[in-house]
Amino acid sequence: DIQMTQSPSTLSASVGDTVTITCRASENIRRWLAWYKQKPGKAPNLLITKASTLEAGVSSRFTGSGFGTEFTLTISSLQPDDFATYFCQQYDSYSPMWIFGQGTKVEVK
Amino acid sequence: QVHLQESGPGLVRPSETLSLTCSVSGYSITDGYYWGWIRQPPGKGLEWIAAAYHTGNSYFNPSLQSRATISVDTSNNQFSLTLRSVTAADTALYYCARLVAVTGSIDTWGQGPLVTVSS
């Protein structure tokens, strides 16, 4: 099975900073990667699909990139509401299966 | 707008069966998409459990396949999860969700009630 490794597990930042989260797949997943934001006590919210396509209504401060095995989520000009936990998720279209990374908590420095 | 709502017991005894139902409103489950379940132990990460299409085709996380069943009730526009022989390790928030094959993503989630396995 494909494994997803997300890093860092925790990231400390300040309002206005630009931060980057990385997700690595154990094998080539082309562009089958999504990113989610989760606030405490809430369900995850879909941010980006197919590695770089922003969902409707999501701020353009969120940028996804990558192909194959390495992917990044960049959040520019960090806002107070951006402090949350972010998950990547890979889709294996052949099985099918949905596999999540371990999550990155973005916290206030 | 599509809305998903889970229902079921919040407490299950060890070795017994966990059963949850997801009621879908604002969208017919026969119009497409996968429908599935994801869980999250308190304070931990997300784990996909199972997904099904309205035709009855179903798919499982290999780590849970031997204990999980997913079914779709098109007449009531809902789908269900059963997980047999539960232990404390199955204590988690259980989310029902709509899974989008075209993008490989999960675009709609339920609230995710906590199910505790304890005697």
Side-chain angles (χ1 to χ4, degrees):
Chain A
D1 293 345
I2 299 173
Q3 306 298 318
M4 303 301 295
T5 303
Q6 189 174 339
S7 62
S9 56
T10 305
L11 192 161
S12 298
S14 302
V15 172
D17 286 352
T18 293
V19 299
T20 297
I21 299 166
T22 298
C23 202
R24 290 187 174 88
S26 58
E27 55 188 85
N28 185 355
I29 60 170
R30 294 178 289 163
R31 298 181 64 82
W32 289 111
L33 191 96
W35 290 98
Y36 302 82
K37 170 186 175 182
Q38 186 178 34
K39 300 283 277 186
K42 299 291 187 182
N45 182 54
L46 180 62
L47 299 174
I48 288 170
T49 66
K50 299 299 287 290
S52 61
T53 302
L54 210 61
E55 278 290 278
V58 175
S59 170
S60 58
R61 296 182 297 100
F62 291 88
T63 304
S65 64
F67 182 90
T69 62
E70 185 150 338
F71 302 84
T72 60
L73 172 70
T74 299
I75 312 170
S76 60
S77 186
L78 208 62
Q79 298 300 298
D81 187 60
D82 298 337
F83 293 100
T85 300
Y86 294 84
F87 293 93
C88 62
Q89 172 252 309
Q90 180 264 337
Y91 176 61
D92 178 348
S93 60
Y94 296 103
S95 299
M97 287 181 61
W98 291 258
I99 303 165
F100 292 92
Q102 299 92 330
T104 296
K105 182 178 181 180
V106 177
E107 62 178 21
V108 177
K109 182 185 287 184
Chain B
Q1 184 176 358
V2 61
H3 180 74
L4 281 65
Q5 180 69 57
E6 303 91 343
S7 59
L11 179 66
V12 183
R13 306 296 184 196
S15 80
E16 296 190 347
T17 297
L18 179 160
S19 296
L20 293 168
T21 296
C22 184
S23 297
V24 181
S25 57
Y27 189 86
S28 172
I29 62 175
T30 60
D31 283 350
Y33 295 102
Y34 289 107
W35 304 91
W37 295 90
I38 296 101
R39 70 180 183 178
Q40 184 174 36
K44 302 196 178 211
L46 299 160
E47 179 180 39
W48 169 71
I49 303 170
Y53 203 60
H54 68 88
T55 54
N57 292 358
S58 56
Y59 309 93
F60 298 92
N61 186 322
S63 68
L64 294 166
Q65 185 165 15
S66 63
R67 297 193 293 129
T69 302
I70 186 170
S71 59
V72 177
D73 179 357
T74 56
S75 60
N76 290 304
N77 212 44
Q78 59 188 24
F79 59 100
S80 299
L81 172 74
T82 60
L83 188 65
R84 296 173 292 279
S85 303
V86 298
T87 69
D90 295 308
T91 294
L93 303 169
Y94 282 77
Y95 295 100
C96 64
R98 187 173 78 171
L99 298 84
V100 186
V102 171
T103 60
S105 64
I106 304 165
D107 73 347
T108 310
W109 300 67
Q111 292 182 314
L114 176 65
V115 179
T116 301
V117 179
S118 175
S119 56

